[in-house]
Amino acid sequence: MKNRKMLIAFSLVLALLFSACTGTVPEPEENRDVLDTNTAEPNSAEKDQTVEPQDSEETASYVLPAYDDSVPSLCETYGDVLKIGAAVNTDQLRETSDFYQVVTKHYNTFVTENEMKPMYLNPSEGDFFFDAADRFVEFGESVGATLRGHTLIWHSQVPDWWFGGENGERATREQLLARMETYIHTVVSRYQGRIHTWDVVNEVISDTGNGIRRDNEGSQYASIIGDLDGDGEDYDYIEQAFYFARAADPDAQLIINDYSLESDPAKLNAFYDVVKALLEKGVPIDGAGIQAHIQIGYPVVELFEAAIEKLAELKEINPDFVVQITELDVSIFDWNDQSTTKEITPELQKKFAERYADLFEMFRRQAEKGNLDMVVTWGVYDGRSWLDNYPVEGRTNAPLLFDRNMMTKPAFWGVIDRDLSPEAIAELE
Ligand code: G3I
């Protein structure tokens, strides 16, 4: 209990000085709305934040509203070692909401979950809609956060017209390249100097462990654009995307982002080979994004860590090359489990907390070695996660550090300091 009490005292002092990593001033409590989900209820801690837990062992609790002043901040905990981020949606960012207090306390890096994808920014040719993206960027700037732009070129969530040509044909190579250039130029230059990091291409590697994604896995880019320079490789669209992005914002950090790199060595190798070949050609790729949509039981941390180390080897070609964890969440279901619910027992909480503690210990280790610079979770709390419906529709998952009511889970405490999660679990029992 001593550890927890010291942390609480330390956090309260810090909270008085400033509000966490983004440097905002906390809203007066009475200005806060209750949280904006169906499942959430106002909770007692929201109404009674004046308790002095450092003087009272009995009242020290580990189940607290994530915004509570006595809760340590995630991003302060990782300080200069690692940027800590989250995916958000702009409808969640009302300044008076609990959500706003939570995200500005715990994260110094943000990305939009969906609103900066081409189908939303550019739904018909020539028409761009920047309202939500502008709101996101203004929010990020107002709290001094680092912003990621997700995502420029992807085979999914593109508008219907994107791959279409004349008379129902597919777009030609020239058409698609021109669309890519216009899109990347328009979007990236609009936020030049404001969006720090772009996922320039997303999910371009095949799940077969055999090179890049092609038509049979839903991507038409390679078959439409193909080999432009005659070097025998048909993925020159990737090169072009990076050149277009570099031209639009010479200082932005340009990332190639993909999933299963941490869990599928064949896919990791294919990814590594493509990035290495592109870097050797001089393509301006500044880093690799490991999405990391993982499960409670897989992959083992050693496999994940080996993936970070392998990708960090690309620093030998580009000394500024970074590796980032871009979409972390930890499903409580194994991949093949088809069930829609799972009881969150103390045993499950323990396993889940150990999983997150192991991961963040490893992330810190890799960051201290200079191999990792950012960890972003795909969402903030269990009440709003894409994993509620994927891969099993109607499922209720619990993959994040804050629960459906935005309260701290034992896993949160394990990420702050792994010695705290057993105490948090003991409280649940
Ligand atoms: O906007 C419509 C809304 O009008 C409609 O009423 C509703 C009904 O289903 O759908 C809404 O669109 C949904 C959209 O999210 C916005 O909420 C889509 O159906 C849904 O498929 C879409 O899912 C997103 C998914 O990307 C699309 O592929 C998830 O929220 C988002 O978390 C997920 O994010 C991806 C990353 O971009 C890339 N890496 C994998 C990650 C998880 O799949």
Side-chain angles (χ1 to χ4, degrees):
M1 188 61 79
K2 262 191 200 131
N3 283 343
R4 167 89 175 100
K5 288 175 78 180
M6 281 168 63
L7 256 173
I8 289 170
F10 181 62
S11 304
L12 284 169
V13 171
L14 279 179
L16 284 175
L17 292 174
F18 57 93
S19 170
C21 321
T22 52
T24 54
V25 179
E27 280 278 313
E29 190 187 335
E30 61 272 19
N31 287 354
R32 287 181 182 149
D33 286 352
V34 292
L35 114 104
D36 51 355
T37 76
N38 300 334
T39 50
E41 294 293 330
N43 47 60
S44 57
E46 191 181 333
K47 295 175 193 141
D48 182 19
Q49 289 182 53
T50 52
V51 285
E52 291 170 6
Q54 70 271 39
D55 292 334
S56 158
E57 194 150 314
E58 304 71 62
T59 58
S61 168
Y62 290 89
V63 186
L64 291 167
Y67 58 74
D68 196 275
D69 284 346
S70 72
V71 170
S73 151
L74 281 172
C75 57
E76 274 177 16
T77 300
Y78 287 84
D80 294 335
V81 178
L82 264 179
K83 291 194 179 81
I84 303 290
V88 295
N89 299 279
T90 55
D91 66 273
Q92 300 175 294
L93 294 175
R94 282 177 296 110
E95 271 188 52
T96 52
S97 68
D98 288 352
F99 186 88
Y100 185 93
Q101 302 305 316
V102 172
V103 293
T104 53
K105 174 185 175 87
H106 289 287
Y107 307 97
N108 51 24
T109 301
F110 296 101
V111 61
T112 49
E113 185 177 2
N114 285 298
E115 290 157 305
M116 292 186 76
K117 293 172 179 172
M119 70 178 285
Y120 298 110
L121 292 187
N122 192 191
S124 53
E125 193 153 20
D127 293 328
F128 284 87
F129 291 93
F130 286 117
D131 289 2
D134 286 352
R135 274 203 304 280
F136 168 71
V137 174
E138 281 155 21
F139 155 75
E141 287 182 329
S142 73
V143 298
T146 297
L147 300 182
R148 303 189 90 261
H150 175 81
T151 174
L152 296 171
I153 297 299
W154 191 18
H155 62 280
S156 179
Q157 285 190 295
V158 285
D160 294 341
W161 60 275
W162 188 254
F163 294 110
E166 309 302 321
N167 306 318
E169 304 283 306
R170 289 210 304 183
T172 62
R173 165 192 276 185
E174 291 69 29
Q175 257 175 330
L176 189 53
L177 276 171
R179 286 171 184 176
M180 283 175 52
E181 182 167 19
T182 302
Y183 182 82
I184 292 174
H185 173 78
T186 308
V187 175
V188 175
S189 57
R190 182 179 184 88
Y191 301 113
Q192 183 178 2
R194 304 172 74 194
I195 298 242
H196 179 273
T197 303
W198 281 99
D199 288 333
V200 176
V201 298
N202 191 39
E203 304 179 359
V204 298
I205 300 300
S206 168
D207 289 332
T208 65
N210 187 19
I212 58 149
R213 180 184 296 272
R214 297 195 169 78
D215 295 80
N216 60 342
E217 291 176 287
S219 177
Q220 303 183 52
Y221 286 104
S223 62
I224 294 178
I225 294 175
D227 181 5
L228 296 170
D229 58 10
D231 69 353
E233 301 292 0
D234 65 354
Y235 50 78
D236 290 355
Y237 79 93
I238 301 176
E239 297 180 22
Q240 294 303 310
F242 279 94
Y243 286 125
F244 295 151
R246 180 62 96 223
D249 185 349
D251 297 323
Q253 187 178 55
L254 307 181
I255 300 293
I256 174 167
N257 193 45
D258 218 319
Y259 63 87
S260 293
L261 303 177
E262 72 294 335
S263 57
D264 177 350
K267 185 162 178 175
L268 173 69
N269 287 339
F271 180 93
Y272 177 90
D273 289 346
V274 167
V275 181
K276 182 166 182 282
L278 292 171
L279 287 172
E280 283 168 347
K281 279 178 86 176
V283 178
I285 304 178
D286 299 317
I290 298 176
Q291 291 186 6
H293 296 291
I294 62 176
Q295 292 87 45
I296 192 162
Y298 192 79
V300 293
V301 168
E302 291 74 15
L303 192 60
F304 196 149
E305 185 162 23
I308 295 173
E309 294 206 323
K310 181 171 175 97
L311 294 175
E313 285 171 18
L314 292 165
K315 281 187 287 190
E316 286 169 18
I317 310 174
N318 171 3
D320 296 327
F321 196 84
V322 295
V323 181
Q324 303 178 336
I325 308 303
T326 55
E327 303 183 17
L328 177 69
D329 45 28
V330 179
S331 172
I332 59 170
F333 297 88
D334 291 332
W335 179 250
N336 292 324
D337 187 340
Q338 292 299 305
S339 45
T340 52
T341 54
K342 193 167 190 174
E343 194 188 345
I344 315 248
T345 59
E347 292 70 42
L348 181 69
Q349 295 263 27
K350 181 166 184 277
K351 196 172 164 196
F352 187 77
E354 280 168 3
R355 178 75 164 140
Y356 260 107
D358 289 345
L359 286 167
F360 272 79
E361 241 171 38
M362 182 270 279
F363 295 153
R364 183 185 282 280
R365 184 161 62 235
Q366 288 300 320
E368 284 168 348
K369 284 169 104 174
N371 288 346
L372 190 68
D373 83 335
M374 176 186 288
V375 176
V376 177
T377 57
W378 205 241
V380 170
Y381 72 113
D382 293 340
R384 189 151 171 186
S385 162
W386 74 294
L387 287 173
D388 267 353
N389 282 303
Y390 183 88
V392 176
E393 195 146 342
R395 166 175 281 177
T396 302
N397 211 324
L400 296 163
L401 294 173
F402 303 122
D403 74 10
R404 300 185 92 76
N405 290 320
M406 264 194 270
M407 306 289 277
T408 51
K409 291 160 71 168
F412 165 80
W413 294 103
V415 168
I416 297 294
D417 172 350
R418 78 171 309 138
D419 292 343
L420 295 173
S421 65
E423 293 181 32
I425 289 155
E427 183 186 336
L428 297 179
E429 283 166 339

